[in-house]
Amino acid sequence: MRAIAAGVVSVLGWLPGLQAVRTYRRTWLASDIAAGIVLSTLLVPQGMAYAELAGLPPITGLYTSIMCLLGYALFGPSRVLVLGPDSSLGPMIAATILPLAGAGGDPKRAVALASMLAIIVGAIMVVGAVAKLGFIADLISKPTMIGYMNGLALTILVGQLPKLFGFKTDAEGLIGEAAAFVRGLADGKAVAAAATVGICGTALILVLQRWLPKLPAVLIVVVLSIAATSIFGLAARGVSLVGVLPKGFPPLTLPDVRLADLGPLFAGAAGIALVSLADTISTASAFAARTGQEIDGNREMTGIGAANLAAGLFQGFPVSTSGSRTAVAERSGAKTQLAGVVGAAVIVVMILLVPGLFRNLPQPALAAVVITASLSLADIPGTARLWRQNKAEFWLSLAAFSGVALLGVLPGIAIAVGLSILNVFRRAWRPYETVLGRATGLEGYHDVRGHPGAQQLPGLVIYRFDAPLFFANATRFRDQVMRLARAEPKPAWIVLAAEPMTDVDTTASDMLEDLDEALTERGTRLVFAELKDPVRRKIERYGLARTIGPRDFFPTVESAVEAFRVQTGAQWPARSAGAGDVR
């Protein structure tokens, strides 16, 4: 019986949805149903719009919304997080599948490729969860993510402008699409009625979101656009419409793709998985903080993986978390993932019973939905803050932006990840380093740059290097210490305040051995204070104990200074009146 109970607990751990059913309260039911109905009014137009952004038929956005909501409801750990088609993933999906679909643009092949892409994303997530790789979401720093999202926002905006004005272009890339749009306007390709619908729809969504955020801005624009089609005969004026959606629901299908397609699909899936995970964890953390929940990155990977697998098996495409839809669900009173299940059920009823409900929806209105969503991706205030606070991170953000804008969405995410990793490496390669002294009125020893009047004991230098010692910064460390050793008057001791030194690799170990010998020849002793025990044991394994012995290690900087004073008889310079003594 104990084994069975343990098995049940294990299953509940992997299926949070079943656990939620077991602990569900009846008082939550009405709120979840109401929130699900409200949520569906947002899911339908956004699902269709983001499907077209990904280069797919609008109906696939609805299939995707249904299956990912159900998949996450069963496997996802968050109570109210809403997954679905996302504006940040649309260009990545299009950049992956459209080159494989060919110039003909066969919709069936594009759908099959997108579905396989979702399955690969789901598999990556599930494998990552099993391997406990949830920390991978941290590979993109905030400055590079800001730059990436700014570039993505601009790419989406420019790509949707022709559709907003009622015509199409065959150009690729941000610059090519911008030039093609301008040429289209100059050649008179714009449709006046389409431009009116698109521009007015965009403006109305932005105004409502800014001044009346509680109103469903997207739904209002969709309803008004459909009404305008009937009243003004927009179809006869050259405005493209969504048309009647296919009736029914697709069967469980394993996408039929070529073996040669799997390599490019996997490359695109890796980038999509990374962006989706980072977006999901950041959104989940923000909403969990309000309810006291804790975020488990590995369990979130399982939930995202299940959502993508479910979508991919029913002619869907990769999904991510939506902060706006999650906010709508929360404001509407959602208590659990049942709200998402209700939303999925409403969409199923719609495509089974009233597939023509959106047949008169103008395509420029969908473009307006996508454009306003793209504007929400951009973070101009965040970019300005980077410029004021940290110029290096501003330039990193600008480089990530340029990568997306000039090279494309998929190379852009690779550049963003690469820049984040290089930034970490740069900080470790050229860390902050300083000399410490005794500041008036403060205990301990402090940075002489921040405390210019800090006292230093004659013959003693306290040096701090704020990074682990490894192959990339070992030479810089050695040069800085030797520069201190060559100063006049010559120091008898150099005390390394080693608390920030969290590691020493073999290259740094060899450097320390050579450095210690060079300092000894000059009559200067190198000692360590506050070195962590694991690092000290590593130094001993490297064999440095032959030159750097137990007498060269001190538990605190204060004890090292006191030992120097006892050995040399050195005295602190006389303080001015009122200065406090520090030991």
Side-chain angles (χ1 to χ4, degrees):
M1 291 297 293
R2 290 182 179 179
I4 295 175
V8 170
V9 172
S10 177
V11 170
L12 288 177
W14 280 97
L15 297 174
L18 295 182
Q19 190 173 4
V21 171
R22 187 169 60 87
T23 60
Y24 195 82
R25 301 178 187 176
R26 291 184 179 179
T27 54
W28 294 345
L29 184 60
S31 296
D32 278 338
I33 291 176
I37 293 173
V38 172
L39 186 61
S40 66
T41 63
L42 186 63
L43 292 171
V44 172
Q46 284 191 343
M48 292 191 297
Y50 298 160
E52 294 209 332
L53 177 62
L56 298 165
I59 188 64
T60 60
L62 303 186
Y63 298 156
T64 302
S65 299
I66 294 167
M67 296 312 303
C68 75
L69 288 171
L70 297 178
Y72 190 83
L74 190 58
F75 288 91
S78 174
R79 291 181 182 176
V80 297
L81 209 62
V82 178
L83 269 67
D86 189 68
S87 57
S88 65
L89 298 189
M92 300 180 73
I93 297 169
T96 303
I97 67 171
L98 294 185
L100 300 176
D106 181 8
K108 291 184 178 179
R109 176 158 165 73
V111 170
L113 290 166
S115 298
M116 181 56 75
L117 186 64
I119 291 174
I120 296 174
V121 170
I124 290 173
M125 290 292 191
V126 172
V127 171
V130 172
K132 300 188 182 302
L133 299 179
F135 67 89
I136 288 179
D138 299 331
L139 285 179
I140 307 182
S141 67
K142 187 172 183 179
T144 49
M145 179 59 89
I146 288 175
Y148 172 78
M149 287 298 181
N150 286 341
L152 194 62
L154 183 60
T155 300
I156 294 172
L157 174 63
V158 171
Q160 290 293 305
L161 285 177
K163 183 177 177 181
L164 192 77
F165 282 76
F167 63 96
K168 296 180 179 180
T169 68
D170 295 327
E172 295 182 359
L174 177 65
I175 296 176
E177 289 180 337
F181 172 67
V182 172
R183 285 196 301 270
L185 291 182
D187 294 341
K189 292 183 179 180
V191 177
T196 301
V197 171
I199 293 172
C200 291
T202 302
L204 183 56
I205 291 175
L206 293 176
V207 169
L208 291 177
Q209 288 178 339
R210 176 66 178 86
W211 299 107
L212 297 170
K214 292 186 177 181
L215 292 180
V218 171
L219 179 62
I220 290 173
V221 167
V222 166
V223 171
L224 291 178
S225 299
I226 293 174
T229 299
S230 301
I231 294 173
F232 299 107
L234 296 182
R237 297 175 181 268
V239 179
S240 298
L241 306 178
V242 169
V244 179
L245 300 174
K247 186 176 182 179
F249 197 77
L252 175 67
T253 306
L254 186 63
D256 182 18
V257 300
R258 303 165 187 164
L259 187 62
D261 295 331
L262 296 181
L265 287 175
F266 184 85
I272 290 171
L274 182 59
V275 171
S276 179
L277 179 62
D279 191 25
T280 297
I281 289 182
S282 62
T283 304
S285 299
F287 283 92
R290 305 179 188 179
T291 59
Q293 284 186 278
E294 293 184 0
I295 296 301
D296 185 332
N298 297 311
R299 294 180 68 193
E300 286 294 351
M301 289 185 81
T302 302
I304 304 168
N308 277 281
L309 287 171
L313 292 172
F314 288 89
Q315 297 184 21
F317 50 86
V319 297
S320 181
T321 302
S322 169
S324 61
R325 278 165 282 181
T326 302
V328 167
E330 185 186 51
R331 287 198 302 265
S332 301
K335 304 297 182 183
T336 68
Q337 286 295 328
L338 180 60
V341 174
V342 171
V346 171
I347 300 174
V348 170
V349 170
M350 189 204 79
I351 61 177
L352 290 179
L353 302 182
V354 283
L357 184 63
F358 292 94
R359 64 180 180 275
N360 289 330
L361 176 62
Q363 291 283 1
L366 291 182
V369 172
V370 173
I371 287 174
T372 53
S374 73
L375 295 177
S376 68
L377 295 177
D379 188 357
I380 305 304
T383 305
R385 186 172 62 252
L386 288 176
W387 173 256
R388 294 192 305 269
Q389 297 176 350
N390 192 316
K391 294 295 191 298
E393 292 194 338
F394 168 81
W395 291 114
L396 280 173
S397 179
L398 187 62
F401 168 84
S402 301
V404 178
L406 300 178
L407 300 179
V409 176
L410 292 179
I413 187 61
I415 290 172
V417 173
L419 288 174
S420 295
I421 296 173
L422 285 175
N423 192 33
V424 173
F425 187 82
R426 178 188 65 86
R427 291 175 182 273
W429 172 49
R430 296 181 63 88
Y432 186 77
E433 49 85 25
T434 188
V435 172
L436 305 181
R438 191 175 69 162
T440 301
L442 296 174
E443 294 186 357
Y445 295 87
H446 302 274
D447 187 347
V448 297
R449 296 175 186 174
H451 302 274
Q455 292 180 316
Q456 299 183 55
L457 198 60
L460 176 71
V461 174
I462 307 172
Y463 175 63
R464 193 183 72 207
F465 190 78
D466 292 350
L469 273 180
F470 68 115
F471 66 93
N473 62 22
T475 301
R476 177 178 177 80
F477 174 86
R478 180 200 64 200
D479 292 345
Q480 294 292 341
V481 172
M482 290 303 298
R483 179 181 60 80
L484 295 172
R486 287 191 293 266
E488 293 294 339
K490 184 180 72 173
W493 281 26
I494 294 179
V495 176
L496 177 61
E499 185 179 13
M501 190 184 298
T502 56
D503 194 18
V504 175
D505 71 0
T506 55
T507 302
S509 172
D510 293 341
M511 177 275 299
L512 285 174
E513 186 172 17
D514 295 339
L515 177 64
D516 185 61
E517 292 176 353
L519 291 174
T520 301
E521 290 177 359
R522 297 182 59 87
T524 299
R525 180 181 169 191
L526 179 66
V527 302
F528 295 79
E530 301 180 357
L531 186 68
K532 293 177 172 58
D533 288 342
V535 182
R536 180 173 175 177
R537 288 194 294 268
K538 183 173 288 190
I539 285 177
E540 291 171 350
R541 287 200 306 272
Y542 290 152
L544 282 181
R546 294 192 305 272
T547 56
I548 303 175
R551 70 187 185 93
D552 297 317
F553 295 96
F554 293 89
T556 64
V557 173
E558 287 81 0
S559 63
V561 172
E562 187 62 27
F564 175 77
R565 291 181 63 190
V566 170
Q567 179 174 318
T568 64
Q571 298 295 323
W572 288 103
R575 288 182 178 275
S576 59
D581 189 21
V582 179
R583 290 191 59 80

